[in-house]
């Protein structure tokens, strides 16, 4: 037997044992753990100290019916005032990273960078300094969905003007905080912004996007991301020595059967959902299957050209390579089947995507109907990313478990982290994927967008009936702290 064969057998045995015990692999020394939040979901202080109005302020105030419990983020976890406690909590969890987002209108109330609100800057300066004092590294998201309300009149991301407005905002953020912040994320989950929630970014009274606005948004977002990347590279990287990239969400699409049709359908879905953004940034241009399908359907619908805009060669080259790592948010998994081509009628991204997806009712559930516990989905994603994008460094910027109770005895969440951290270890040790970080969503229960406060992802609970917004650690805090300390799953 060759040493290589022996090695493979040992490895194979290792995986078997690890599946049973999940214990014998350690997280590599350079692997980082973190916890994540976003501004609108936790800060509150919606009009404090000169903050301007964001689309979420306006949306929740004018159309509360759109939020499951009619609530809003006016106070949320009150992190605008309780940020010192937040830092203590991160410290208590023992992790390396705290990922949070900047509220654009807290710093630039109208969205434009001509006026900087000193209180907003002071808030983030204090937070960043306190994190660093405690040995915690800040990871900043520039755009986690709460864009300036002023831009709605322009259609926000569907307008090319957004590209420059975002680039100016990014430059100022690097100028203000980049001496201390070394990991930047331009956009959180573009697919949710453009394909799912796009109407939050335009006018509250949404117009039907007709499979057109979704792609304009995608196109402008990719260009805005690329500009923010290049600005950093050109003007800041030499002195600040940080990294810039984007965070994409990815729910795994598993073929429903071994049939070539289902295998192709699952891949088609991955390309529409993830490749749409990852391919132009890491490889080159939009994925061929996406270009072909949107062009074909657009022609049949009577459009003079594809609803998916084309990049010029210069644009393709400018977007390609604009990543120093890849940010990944992952929540759930679906089976995907080939489906009959949808009839030509109302144009839409969903019809372009084609395919049919469903979840296995036997999969372990959670507090959110769509969020099933399927750890092998994460492992498959990581492997697929490695194979499709030349083993790029991946930072898992969100992964977490929702419940509706907020119980501090959150054993199901502990089990979730045990399984998903184990899948991460398998991806690293068995599949050779370059996963470099795992950030739990979320540091604390918070405003879960359309679900309001009904769905809770926190490892700390927050008492929303108490003016103090008292935070209490759940069991999962201790679990994560232990993993971080031992670098083992137990
Ligand atoms: C993500 C989002 C987070 C959080 C999470 C849980 O899509 O980035 O803000 O809400 O989902 O649903």
């Amino acid at each position: 037997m060759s040493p290589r064969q022996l090695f493979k057998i040992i490895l194979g045995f290792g995986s078997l044992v690890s599946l049973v015990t999940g214990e014998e692999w350690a997280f590599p020394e350079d692997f980082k753990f973190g916890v994540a939040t976003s501004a609108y979901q936790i800060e509150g202080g919606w009009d404090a100290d000169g903050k301007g109005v964001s689309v979420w302020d306006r949306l929740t105030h004018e159309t509360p019916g759109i939020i499951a419990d009619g609530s809003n983020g006016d106070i949320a976890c009150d992190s605008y005032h309780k940020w010192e406690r937040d830092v203590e909590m991160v410290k208590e969890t023992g992790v390396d990273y705290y990922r949070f987002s900047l509220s654009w209108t807290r710093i630039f109330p109208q969205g434009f960078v001509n006026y900087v609100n000193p209180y907003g800057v002071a808030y983030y300066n204090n937070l960043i300094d306190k994190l660093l004092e405690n040995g915690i590294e800040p990871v900043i998201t520039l755009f986690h969905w709460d864009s300036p309300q002023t831009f709605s009149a322009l259609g926000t991301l569907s307008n090319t003007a957004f590209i420059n407005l975002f680039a100016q905002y990014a430059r100022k953020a690097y100028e203000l905080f980049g001496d201390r912040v070394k990991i930047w994320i331009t956009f959180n989950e573009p697919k949710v912004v453009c394909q799912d929630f796009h109407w939050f970014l335009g006018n509250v009274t949404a117009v039907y996007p007709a499979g057109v606005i979704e792609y304009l948004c995608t196109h402008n977002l990719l260009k805005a991301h690329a500009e923010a990347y290049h600005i950093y590279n050109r003007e800041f990287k030499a002195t600040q020595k940080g990294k810039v990239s984007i965070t994409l969400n990815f729910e795994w699409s598993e073929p429903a059967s071994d049939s070539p049709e289902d295998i192709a359908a699952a891949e088609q879905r991955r390309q529409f959902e993830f490749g749409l953004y990852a391919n132009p940034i890491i490889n080159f241009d939009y994925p061929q299957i996406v270009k072909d399908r949107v062009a074909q359907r657009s022609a049949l619908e009577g459009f003079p050209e594809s609803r998916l805009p084309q990049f010029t060669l210069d644009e393709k080259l400018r977007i390609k390579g604009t990543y120093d790592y890849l940010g990944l948010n992952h929540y759930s998994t679906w089976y995907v089947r080939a489906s009959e081509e949808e009839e030509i009628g109302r144009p839409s991204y969903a019809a372009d995507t084609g395919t049919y997806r469903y979840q296995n009712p036997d999969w372990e559930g959670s507090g959110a109907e769509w969020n099933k516990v399927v750890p092998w989905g994460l492992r498959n994603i990581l492997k697929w990313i490695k194979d499709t994008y030349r083993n790029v460094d991946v930072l898992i910027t969100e992964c977490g478990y929702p419940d509706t109770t907020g119980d501090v005895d959150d054993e199901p969440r502990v089990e979730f982290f045990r399984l998903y951290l184990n899948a991460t270890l398998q991806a690293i040790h068995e599949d050779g994927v370059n996963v470099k970080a795992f950030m739990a969503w979320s540091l604390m229960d918070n405003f879960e967008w359309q679900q309001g406060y009904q769905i809770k992802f926190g490892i700390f609970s927050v008492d929303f009936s108490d003016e103090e917004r008292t935070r209490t650690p759940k069991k999962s805090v201790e679990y994560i702290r232990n993993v971080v300390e031992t670098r083992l799953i137990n």
Side-chain angles (χ1 to χ4, degrees):
M1 187 185 304
S2 72
R4 192 182 157 79
Q5 278 168 328
L6 184 67
F7 183 63
K8 279 186 109 173
I9 289 178
I10 293 170
L11 259 190
F13 181 67
S15 19
L16 202 69
V17 174
S18 84
L19 271 179
V20 180
T21 66
E23 269 177 354
E24 95 283 12
W25 280 323
F27 284 96
E29 260 174 43
D30 64 346
F31 189 90
K32 306 283 187 185
F33 296 92
V35 284
T37 59
S38 90
Y40 186 76
Q41 294 179 276
I42 64 160
E43 282 179 6
W46 79 276
D47 63 350
D49 300 336
K51 176 181 166 292
V53 177
S54 80
V55 283
W56 278 89
D57 295 324
R58 165 111 187 260
L59 179 78
T60 53
H61 292 165
E62 293 193 3
T63 39
I66 229 169
I67 310 298
D69 55 4
S71 67
N72 58 47
D74 285 5
I75 304 176
C77 308
D78 201 20
S79 286
Y80 186 62
H81 300 107
K82 307 271 180 264
W83 57 273
E84 285 177 281
R85 172 73 182 121
D86 295 352
V87 177
E88 274 172 24
M89 285 147 57
V90 183
K91 177 89 178 164
E92 220 173 298
T93 313
V95 296
D96 312 277
Y97 289 160
Y98 179 40
R99 175 187 175 219
F100 59 95
S101 74
L102 302 181
S103 156
W104 190 331
T105 57
R106 192 176 296 291
I107 307 174
F108 307 105
Q110 299 300 313
F112 306 108
V113 298
N114 62 318
Y115 172 72
V116 185
N117 174 15
Y119 295 100
V121 175
Y123 173 66
Y124 293 113
N125 272 337
N126 289 336
L127 175 60
I128 292 166
D129 291 345
K130 194 63 162 195
L131 287 167
L132 291 172
E133 254 172 62
N134 282 280
I136 303 156
E137 200 178 325
V139 175
I140 289 193
T141 316
L142 291 169
F143 188 102
H144 201 124
W145 305 355
D146 56 342
S147 56
Q149 175 57 30
T150 7
F151 297 175
S152 294
L154 304 167
T156 310
L157 271 145
S158 45
N159 191 322
T160 50
F162 180 85
I163 301 166
N164 200 27
L165 293 168
F166 181 76
Q168 291 171 357
Y169 160 58
R171 176 183 283 113
K172 282 283 183 188
Y174 305 147
E175 257 169 44
L176 290 166
F177 310 117
D179 54 337
R180 289 150 293 155
V181 175
K182 304 301 163 192
I183 305 179
W184 295 94
I185 299 166
T186 54
F187 288 91
N188 179 68
E189 303 194 349
K191 176 185 173 269
V192 175
V193 173
C194 296
Q195 275 68 38
D196 303 343
F197 271 11
H198 48 82
W199 42 278
F200 284 136
L201 304 170
N203 294 306
V204 170
T205 45
V207 281
Y208 179 68
V212 174
I213 295 174
E214 295 97 319
Y215 296 119
L216 290 177
C217 174
T218 299
H219 212 62
N220 292 331
L221 185 150
L222 283 164
K223 289 185 190 179
H225 157 79
E227 288 318 302
Y229 180 90
H230 287 298
I231 287 172
Y232 190 84
N233 232 16
R234 209 172 47 229
E235 301 170 27
F236 299 92
K237 189 145 188 157
T239 49
Q240 298 188 349
K241 304 188 170 38
K243 293 180 177 180
V244 179
S245 192
I246 193 163
T247 274
L248 308 181
N249 54 306
F250 200 172
E251 298 193 359
W252 178 243
S253 287
E254 179 72 10
S257 77
D258 287 344
S259 77
E261 292 77 16
D262 287 352
I263 291 173
E267 180 63 13
Q268 180 171 313
R269 188 126 201 156
R270 292 172 207 140
Q271 293 297 345
F272 264 91
E273 293 182 351
F274 194 79
L276 181 65
Y277 295 96
N279 214 66
I281 293 174
I282 303 180
N283 289 340
F284 191 62
D285 200 2
Y286 293 121
Q288 196 61 44
I289 180 102
V290 176
K291 290 199 294 184
D292 291 349
R293 282 188 54 83
V294 183
Q296 276 158 17
R297 291 191 63 92
S298 303
L300 294 169
E301 288 153 356
F303 285 91
E305 54 193 38
S306 177
R307 289 179 278 103
L308 177 69
Q310 288 178 27
F311 291 120
T312 64
L313 178 61
D314 277 357
E315 288 168 347
K316 287 178 205 169
L317 291 168
R318 194 151 176 83
I319 294 168
K320 181 182 169 62
T322 54
Y323 63 98
D324 296 323
Y325 62 88
L326 178 63
L328 168 74
N329 287 358
H330 172 66
Y331 287 92
S332 205
T333 286
W334 301 78
Y335 279 124
V336 175
R337 257 202 338 244
S339 65
E340 293 276 302
E341 190 62 54
E342 204 168 300
E343 272 179 28
I344 297 300
R346 213 154 84 141
S348 75
Y349 165 79
D352 295 339
T353 306
T355 73
Y356 170 76
R357 72 174 194 172
Y358 62 96
Q359 290 180 312
N360 183 337
D362 296 339
W363 287 342
E364 181 75 31
S366 71
E369 205 203 322
W370 52 273
N371 204 329
K372 305 281 187 204
V373 181
V374 192
W376 54 260
L378 173 60
R379 182 171 173 193
N380 287 0
I381 282 182
L382 293 169
K383 174 82 166 52
W384 185 87
I385 288 178
K386 173 189 171 193
D387 296 342
T388 316
Y389 305 113
R390 293 184 304 280
N391 213 2
V392 53
D393 281 358
V394 177
L395 307 190
I396 298 175
T397 42
E398 278 181 35
C399 187
Y401 177 88
D403 62 37
T404 50
T405 62
D407 278 352
V408 292
D409 187 358
D410 61 342
E411 193 49 51
R413 181 169 293 105
V414 168
E415 187 55 19
F416 172 91
F417 283 126
R418 185 177 284 128
L419 294 168
Y420 278 72
L421 285 165
N422 192 50
T424 307
L425 272 182
Q426 288 177 324
I428 295 171
H429 290 280
E430 281 200 72
D431 307 332
V433 185
N434 287 327
V435 197
K436 298 294 184 196
F438 185 103
M439 300 176 220
W441 184 270
S442 175
L443 174 62
M444 63 194 129
D445 295 341
N446 57 47
F447 178 78
E448 176 53 20
W449 309 112
Q450 280 165 299
Q451 305 307 321
Y453 296 97
Q454 291 181 341
I455 300 249
K456 296 156 195 294
F457 275 91
I459 58 170
F460 281 80
S461 77
V462 177
D463 184 351
F464 292 101
S465 62
D466 165 10
E467 235 176 67
E468 288 302 310
R469 295 294 191 271
T470 305
R471 289 105 152 99
T472 312
K474 301 183 189 175
K475 256 191 170 174
S476 42
V477 170
E478 199 189 316
Y479 179 74
I480 294 177
R481 190 175 49 231
N482 194 270
V483 174
V484 178
E485 272 169 20
T486 60
R487 310 198 73 78
L488 296 171
I489 292 175
N490 40 47

